[in-house]
Amino acid sequence: MAFGVAFLILLLTISLFSSSDALSLNHYAKTCPDVDSIVTNAVTSATSRDKTIPATLLRMHFHDCLIRGCDGSILLDSKGHHKAEKDAAPNLSLHAFFVVDNAKRALEAACPGVVSCADILALAARDAVVLSGGPYWSVPNGRKDGRVSRASDIASMPSPTFNISQLQKSFSLRGLSLDDLVALSGAHTIGFAHCAAFQNRIHNFNATHDIDPTLHPTFASKLQGRCPLHNTAKNAGVPMDPYSATFDNNYYKLILQRKSLFSSDQALLGFPKTKALVYKYASSKQAFWNAFANSVVKLSSINGGQEIRKNCRIVN
Ligand code: HEM
Ligand SMILES: *[C@@H]1O[C@H](CO)[C@@H](O)[C@H](O)[C@H]1NC(C)=O
Ligand SMILES: *[C@@H]1O[C@H](CO)[C@@H](O)[C@H](O)[C@H]1NC(C)=O
Ligand SMILES: *[C@@H]1O[C@H](CO)[C@@H](O)[C@H](O)[C@H]1NC(C)=O
């Protein structure tokens, strides 16, 4: 009798563990050993034709993980009246979905029904950083894909107009700390932003200032030139790091020069703790890289879905 109970408890423990969503570094070791190189090939070949691909992939992964966990919800297409995250207004300008599709197609040929779309995006984000001259990290795998994607969920993303308390709250809701916030924001050392994302800082900032006084004045007038109040070229992109397209620590140097684009970037100077980290990473690329690799694994481990999609754009 006692043995029977002990055996039942053992069985229960085993089933609890095997149904847990813990990610692991050798998740595909037996079922799809070439997963890393297959994804890397897709990202490398797309990047050789379009240099804007890596930044977009990294942002897509961030986006995916903040909404419903890293479950590939950003990859789902709208269905009839149901607008998906990717089609939320204003235009999110995410445009690397075909890279995930290409990787998925190659993976379905090599190991059908095994690799989740959420894992593909996590691997692609790592490759994007490496191809941009940034650090390498090992990506734990085993994410599941979700079955829901809603345009209205976009409202829960942090806004570029957020101050430091709002950013802290948004990150802590996802189990991410202020350390993670400062390290991950360094992703803004690559890629482009559209005028709308920093419009609030360069026109009608508040009742007494047309321009955000925390912006460097000559930099602010340059931005006004690129982004006039009545903007006819709404799709004009401004590089977030005008000095280089590589994954370096310029982002933090720009904050200290008051030349970062978003209020949410400049806001990192708003708490003593985050301010100290901005100074630290501005003076050491290696310290930034170590912190980024550490925090991005945390970000990409936020739990999500239920299934392994066959097509990343459609639920099974
Ligand atoms: C802290 C809060 C954050 C806010 C408010 C924010 C906001 C934004 C905004 C408004 C853009 C410009 C989009 C556009 O105008 O097209 C952008 C771009 C970007 N973000 Fe963030 N972001 C945040 C954190 C992150 C994190 C944590 C990552 C990745 C780890 C990230 C990666 C990127 C990248 C790579 C781009 C450039 C995209 C491209 O060139 O296509 N961001 N972000
Ligand atoms: C959204 O932006 C992308 C990339 O910038 C562009 O190709 C696409 O046409 C835009 N879509 C709409 C509906 O404006
Ligand atoms: C940030 O903004 C919120 C909402 O507008 C406000 O309540 C809060 O006091 C602000 N915090 C800081 C540090 O400025
Ligand atoms: C406008 O913003 C500046 C800088 O944050 C601040 O010093 C000033 O008091 C603000 N003015 C109003 C009317 O809120």
mmCIF file of all heavy atoms in Angstrom, residues 217-249:
data_model
loop_
_atom_site.group_PDB
_atom_site.id
_atom_site.type_symbol
_atom_site.label_atom_id
_atom_site.label_comp_id
_atom_site.label_asym_id
_atom_site.label_seq_id
_atom_site.Cartn_x
_atom_site.Cartn_y
_atom_site.Cartn_z
ATOM 1 N N PRO A 217 20.416 70.242 -28.832
ATOM 2 C CA PRO A 217 19.730 71.206 -29.699
ATOM 3 C C PRO A 217 20.019 71.045 -31.206
ATOM 4 O O PRO A 217 19.071 71.056 -32.001
ATOM 5 C CB PRO A 217 20.225 72.570 -29.202
ATOM 6 C CG PRO A 217 20.849 72.328 -27.882
ATOM 7 C CD PRO A 217 21.186 70.889 -27.760
ATOM 8 N N THR A 218 21.297 70.881 -31.582
ATOM 9 C CA THR A 218 21.542 70.774 -33.028
ATOM 10 C C THR A 218 21.035 69.438 -33.575
ATOM 11 O O THR A 218 20.565 69.359 -34.695
ATOM 12 C CB THR A 218 23.040 70.946 -33.386
ATOM 13 O OG1 THR A 218 23.808 70.057 -32.579
ATOM 14 C CG2 THR A 218 23.498 72.362 -33.185
ATOM 15 N N PHE A 219 21.110 68.402 -32.750
ATOM 16 C CA PHE A 219 20.562 67.095 -33.144
ATOM 17 C C PHE A 219 19.050 67.220 -33.327
ATOM 18 O O PHE A 219 18.476 66.714 -34.300
ATOM 19 C CB PHE A 219 20.904 66.053 -32.079
ATOM 20 C CG PHE A 219 20.388 64.671 -32.375
ATOM 21 C CD1 PHE A 219 20.877 63.940 -33.439
ATOM 22 C CD2 PHE A 219 19.404 64.092 -31.571
ATOM 23 C CE1 PHE A 219 20.401 62.660 -33.716
ATOM 24 C CE2 PHE A 219 18.930 62.815 -31.832
ATOM 25 C CZ PHE A 219 19.435 62.099 -32.906
ATOM 26 N N ALA A 220 18.406 67.946 -32.397
ATOM 27 C CA ALA A 220 16.953 68.137 -32.476
ATOM 28 C C ALA A 220 16.572 68.857 -33.761
ATOM 29 O O ALA A 220 15.594 68.479 -34.427
ATOM 30 C CB ALA A 220 16.456 68.919 -31.262
ATOM 31 N N SER A 221 17.343 69.876 -34.166
ATOM 32 C CA SER A 221 16.946 70.577 -35.394
ATOM 33 C C SER A 221 17.186 69.712 -36.625
ATOM 34 O O SER A 221 16.449 69.808 -37.604
ATOM 35 C CB SER A 221 17.591 71.967 -35.534
ATOM 36 O OG SER A 221 18.864 71.995 -35.012
ATOM 37 N N LYS A 222 18.207 68.858 -36.568
ATOM 38 C CA LYS A 222 18.384 67.883 -37.665
ATOM 39 C C LYS A 222 17.166 66.971 -37.776
ATOM 40 O O LYS A 222 16.661 66.709 -38.864
ATOM 41 C CB LYS A 222 19.619 67.011 -37.386
ATOM 42 C CG LYS A 222 20.810 67.338 -38.267
ATOM 43 C CD LYS A 222 21.860 66.247 -38.132
ATOM 44 C CE LYS A 222 23.253 66.821 -38.240
ATOM 45 N NZ LYS A 222 24.265 65.957 -37.647
ATOM 46 N N LEU A 223 16.705 66.501 -36.621
ATOM 47 C CA LEU A 223 15.531 65.612 -36.626
ATOM 48 C C LEU A 223 14.305 66.341 -37.168
ATOM 49 O O LEU A 223 13.518 65.769 -37.922
ATOM 50 C CB LEU A 223 15.244 65.082 -35.223
ATOM 51 C CG LEU A 223 16.214 64.061 -34.638
ATOM 52 C CD1 LEU A 223 15.760 63.634 -33.243
ATOM 53 C CD2 LEU A 223 16.347 62.836 -35.539
ATOM 54 N N GLN A 224 14.166 67.622 -36.794
ATOM 55 C CA GLN A 224 13.030 68.401 -37.313
ATOM 56 C C GLN A 224 13.089 68.497 -38.832
ATOM 57 O O GLN A 224 12.062 68.468 -39.503
ATOM 58 C CB GLN A 224 13.017 69.804 -36.710
ATOM 59 C CG GLN A 224 12.532 69.843 -35.278
ATOM 60 C CD GLN A 224 12.449 71.276 -34.763
ATOM 61 O OE1 GLN A 224 13.316 72.104 -35.070
ATOM 62 N NE2 GLN A 224 11.417 71.570 -33.992
ATOM 63 N N GLY A 225 14.318 68.608 -39.364
ATOM 64 C CA GLY A 225 14.490 68.644 -40.819
ATOM 65 C C GLY A 225 14.046 67.345 -41.468
ATOM 66 O O GLY A 225 13.367 67.345 -42.499
ATOM 67 N N ARG A 226 14.409 66.241 -40.835
ATOM 68 C CA ARG A 226 14.001 64.937 -41.379
ATOM 69 C C ARG A 226 12.512 64.678 -41.195
ATOM 70 O O ARG A 226 11.894 63.955 -41.965
ATOM 71 C CB ARG A 226 14.766 63.793 -40.669
ATOM 72 C CG ARG A 226 16.248 63.725 -40.966
ATOM 73 C CD ARG A 226 16.508 63.324 -42.423
ATOM 74 N NE ARG A 226 16.008 62.006 -42.791
ATOM 75 C CZ ARG A 226 16.690 60.880 -42.656
ATOM 76 N NH1 ARG A 226 17.906 60.900 -42.185
ATOM 77 N NH2 ARG A 226 16.167 59.734 -43.024
ATOM 78 N N CYS A 227 11.972 65.236 -40.128
ATOM 79 C CA CYS A 227 10.592 64.935 -39.748
ATOM 80 C C CYS A 227 9.799 66.209 -39.488
ATOM 81 O O CYS A 227 9.522 66.562 -38.336
ATOM 82 C CB CYS A 227 10.563 64.067 -38.492
ATOM 83 S SG CYS A 227 11.519 62.550 -38.615
ATOM 84 N N PRO A 228 9.435 66.932 -40.556
ATOM 85 C CA PRO A 228 8.648 68.159 -40.371
ATOM 86 C C PRO A 228 7.285 67.859 -39.759
ATOM 87 O O PRO A 228 6.788 66.733 -39.863
ATOM 88 C CB PRO A 228 8.514 68.724 -41.787
ATOM 89 C CG PRO A 228 8.890 67.621 -42.713
ATOM 90 C CD PRO A 228 9.731 66.649 -41.958
ATOM 91 N N LEU A 229 6.718 68.897 -39.124
ATOM 92 C CA LEU A 229 5.443 68.715 -38.422
ATOM 93 C C LEU A 229 4.380 68.131 -39.347
ATOM 94 O O LEU A 229 3.689 67.194 -38.985
ATOM 95 C CB LEU A 229 4.979 70.059 -37.845
ATOM 96 C CG LEU A 229 3.711 70.019 -37.001
ATOM 97 C CD1 LEU A 229 3.808 68.994 -35.882
ATOM 98 C CD2 LEU A 229 3.426 71.398 -36.411
ATOM 99 N N HIS A 230 4.280 68.722 -40.549
ATOM 100 C CA HIS A 230 3.313 68.159 -41.504
ATOM 101 C C HIS A 230 4.092 67.275 -42.465
ATOM 102 O O HIS A 230 4.506 67.706 -43.537
ATOM 103 C CB HIS A 230 2.536 69.273 -42.209
ATOM 104 C CG HIS A 230 1.766 70.096 -41.223
ATOM 105 N ND1 HIS A 230 0.694 69.594 -40.527
ATOM 106 C CD2 HIS A 230 1.952 71.356 -40.766
ATOM 107 C CE1 HIS A 230 0.231 70.515 -39.707
ATOM 108 N NE2 HIS A 230 0.982 71.594 -39.819
ATOM 109 N N ASN A 231 4.300 66.073 -42.024
ATOM 110 C CA ASN A 231 5.203 65.156 -42.708
ATOM 111 C C ASN A 231 4.503 64.471 -43.871
ATOM 112 O O ASN A 231 3.506 63.807 -43.688
ATOM 113 C CB ASN A 231 5.695 64.110 -41.696
ATOM 114 C CG ASN A 231 6.893 63.356 -42.185
ATOM 115 O OD1 ASN A 231 7.270 63.486 -43.345
ATOM 116 N ND2 ASN A 231 7.490 62.586 -41.306
ATOM 117 N N THR A 232 5.057 64.656 -45.046
ATOM 118 C CA THR A 232 4.462 63.988 -46.207
ATOM 119 C C THR A 232 5.094 62.607 -46.399
ATOM 120 O O THR A 232 4.483 61.721 -46.958
ATOM 121 C CB THR A 232 4.667 64.827 -47.485
ATOM 122 O OG1 THR A 232 6.023 65.248 -47.521
ATOM 123 C CG2 THR A 232 3.751 66.020 -47.488
ATOM 124 N N ALA A 233 6.322 62.440 -45.919
ATOM 125 C CA ALA A 233 7.024 61.156 -46.085
ATOM 126 C C ALA A 233 6.989 60.391 -44.769
ATOM 127 O O ALA A 233 8.002 60.236 -44.090
ATOM 128 C CB ALA A 233 8.448 61.396 -46.531
ATOM 129 N N LYS A 234 5.816 59.925 -44.398
ATOM 130 C CA LYS A 234 5.651 59.292 -43.090
ATOM 131 C C LYS A 234 6.513 58.049 -42.920
ATOM 132 O O LYS A 234 6.800 57.625 -41.812
ATOM 133 C CB LYS A 234 4.175 58.922 -42.861
ATOM 134 C CG LYS A 234 3.326 60.122 -42.498
ATOM 135 C CD LYS A 234 2.254 59.762 -41.470
ATOM 136 C CE LYS A 234 1.609 60.987 -40.863
ATOM 137 N NZ LYS A 234 0.989 61.866 -41.868
ATOM 138 N N ASN A 235 6.923 57.468 -44.054
ATOM 139 C CA ASN A 235 7.685 56.244 -43.933
ATOM 140 C C ASN A 235 9.196 56.454 -43.859
ATOM 141 O O ASN A 235 9.955 55.506 -43.846
ATOM 142 C CB ASN A 235 7.340 55.271 -45.067
ATOM 143 C CG ASN A 235 6.262 54.291 -44.623
ATOM 144 O OD1 ASN A 235 6.161 53.988 -43.436
ATOM 145 N ND2 ASN A 235 5.465 53.822 -45.548
ATOM 146 N N ALA A 236 9.626 57.737 -43.809
ATOM 147 C CA ALA A 236 11.060 58.000 -43.736
ATOM 148 C C ALA A 236 11.626 57.364 -42.473
ATOM 149 O O ALA A 236 11.072 57.488 -41.394
ATOM 150 C CB ALA A 236 11.299 59.505 -43.722
ATOM 151 N N GLY A 237 12.731 56.667 -42.626
ATOM 152 C CA GLY A 237 13.364 56.047 -41.470
ATOM 153 C C GLY A 237 14.601 56.826 -41.054
ATOM 154 O O GLY A 237 15.322 57.359 -41.884
ATOM 155 N N VAL A 238 14.806 56.919 -39.751
ATOM 156 C CA VAL A 238 15.994 57.577 -39.213
ATOM 157 C C VAL A 238 16.815 56.499 -38.494
ATOM 158 O O VAL A 238 16.250 55.744 -37.698
ATOM 159 C CB VAL A 238 15.581 58.692 -38.215
ATOM 160 C CG1 VAL A 238 16.792 59.314 -37.555
ATOM 161 C CG2 VAL A 238 14.744 59.745 -38.913
ATOM 162 N N PRO A 239 18.118 56.406 -38.773
ATOM 163 C CA PRO A 239 18.909 55.371 -38.094
ATOM 164 C C PRO A 239 18.999 55.658 -36.601
ATOM 165 O O PRO A 239 19.186 56.805 -36.201
ATOM 166 C CB PRO A 239 20.290 55.474 -38.757
ATOM 167 C CG PRO A 239 20.331 56.835 -39.344
ATOM 168 C CD PRO A 239 18.929 57.223 -39.678
ATOM 169 N N MET A 240 18.842 54.643 -35.783
ATOM 170 C CA MET A 240 18.877 54.892 -34.342
ATOM 171 C C MET A 240 20.296 55.149 -33.863
ATOM 172 O O MET A 240 20.503 55.847 -32.881
ATOM 173 C CB MET A 240 18.216 53.728 -33.615
ATOM 174 C CG MET A 240 16.724 53.729 -33.926
ATOM 175 S SD MET A 240 15.744 52.867 -32.748
ATOM 176 C CE MET A 240 15.976 51.233 -33.348
ATOM 177 N N ASP A 241 21.276 54.576 -34.555
ATOM 178 C CA ASP A 241 22.676 54.893 -34.270
ATOM 179 C C ASP A 241 23.292 55.421 -35.559
ATOM 180 O O ASP A 241 23.685 54.651 -36.426
ATOM 181 C CB ASP A 241 23.411 53.635 -33.792
ATOM 182 C CG ASP A 241 24.919 53.842 -33.719
ATOM 183 O OD1 ASP A 241 25.377 54.991 -33.943
ATOM 184 O OD2 ASP A 241 25.635 52.868 -33.433
ATOM 185 N N PRO A 242 23.342 56.761 -35.712
ATOM 186 C CA PRO A 242 23.830 57.318 -36.977
ATOM 187 C C PRO A 242 25.324 57.049 -37.210
ATOM 188 O O PRO A 242 25.808 57.219 -38.325
ATOM 189 C CB PRO A 242 23.557 58.819 -36.838
ATOM 190 C CG PRO A 242 23.377 59.070 -35.388
ATOM 191 C CD PRO A 242 22.907 57.794 -34.761
ATOM 192 N N TYR A 243 26.044 56.634 -36.181
ATOM 193 C CA TYR A 243 27.498 56.456 -36.317
ATOM 194 C C TYR A 243 27.877 55.108 -36.907
ATOM 195 O O TYR A 243 28.907 54.986 -37.563
ATOM 196 C CB TYR A 243 28.199 56.623 -34.965
ATOM 197 C CG TYR A 243 27.994 57.980 -34.338
ATOM 198 C CD1 TYR A 243 27.678 58.098 -32.989
ATOM 199 C CD2 TYR A 243 28.119 59.145 -35.092
ATOM 200 C CE1 TYR A 243 27.498 59.339 -32.405
ATOM 201 C CE2 TYR A 243 27.925 60.398 -34.512
ATOM 202 C CZ TYR A 243 27.612 60.483 -33.165
ATOM 203 O OH TYR A 243 27.427 61.707 -32.594
ATOM 204 N N SER A 244 27.098 54.060 -36.639
ATOM 205 C CA SER A 244 27.467 52.750 -37.173
ATOM 206 C C SER A 244 26.263 51.821 -37.197
ATOM 207 O O SER A 244 25.337 51.971 -36.396
ATOM 208 C CB SER A 244 28.571 52.100 -36.324
ATOM 209 O OG SER A 244 27.994 51.427 -35.213
ATOM 210 N N ALA A 245 26.315 50.854 -38.100
ATOM 211 C CA ALA A 245 25.211 49.891 -38.225
ATOM 212 C C ALA A 245 25.539 48.603 -37.479
ATOM 213 O O ALA A 245 24.855 47.601 -37.661
ATOM 214 C CB ALA A 245 24.947 49.605 -39.694
ATOM 215 N N THR A 246 26.554 48.619 -36.638
ATOM 216 C CA THR A 246 26.953 47.381 -35.952
ATOM 217 C C THR A 246 26.408 47.325 -34.520
ATOM 218 O O THR A 246 26.045 48.353 -33.935
ATOM 219 C CB THR A 246 28.488 47.229 -35.900
ATOM 220 O OG1 THR A 246 29.028 48.369 -35.243
ATOM 221 C CG2 THR A 246 29.063 47.116 -37.296
ATOM 222 N N PHE A 247 26.406 46.125 -33.989
ATOM 223 C CA PHE A 247 25.861 45.897 -32.655
ATOM 224 C C PHE A 247 26.925 46.245 -31.592
ATOM 225 O O PHE A 247 27.475 45.379 -30.923
ATOM 226 C CB PHE A 247 25.399 44.447 -32.508
ATOM 227 C CG PHE A 247 24.395 44.255 -31.396
ATOM 228 C CD1 PHE A 247 23.042 44.378 -31.644
ATOM 229 C CD2 PHE A 247 24.810 43.964 -30.111
ATOM 230 C CE1 PHE A 247 22.115 44.209 -30.619
ATOM 231 C CE2 PHE A 247 23.893 43.796 -29.084
ATOM 232 C CZ PHE A 247 22.543 43.915 -29.340
ATOM 233 N N ASP A 248 27.198 47.547 -31.471
ATOM 234 C CA ASP A 248 28.215 48.022 -30.516
ATOM 235 C C ASP A 248 27.524 48.722 -29.344
ATOM 236 O O ASP A 248 26.302 48.606 -29.188
ATOM 237 C CB ASP A 248 29.179 48.964 -31.231
ATOM 238 C CG ASP A 248 28.427 50.073 -31.970
ATOM 239 O OD1 ASP A 248 27.281 50.392 -31.571
ATOM 240 O OD2 ASP A 248 28.973 50.611 -32.946
ATOM 241 N N ASN A 249 28.269 49.466 -28.537
ATOM 242 C CA ASN A 249 27.672 50.147 -27.380
ATOM 243 C C ASN A 249 27.380 51.624 -27.640
ATOM 244 O O ASN A 249 27.203 52.395 -26.697
ATOM 245 C CB ASN A 249 28.549 49.973 -26.136
ATOM 246 C CG ASN A 249 29.934 50.565 -26.328
ATOM 247 O OD1 ASN A 249 30.387 50.764 -27.466
ATOM 248 N ND2 ASN A 249 30.626 50.862 -25.228
#
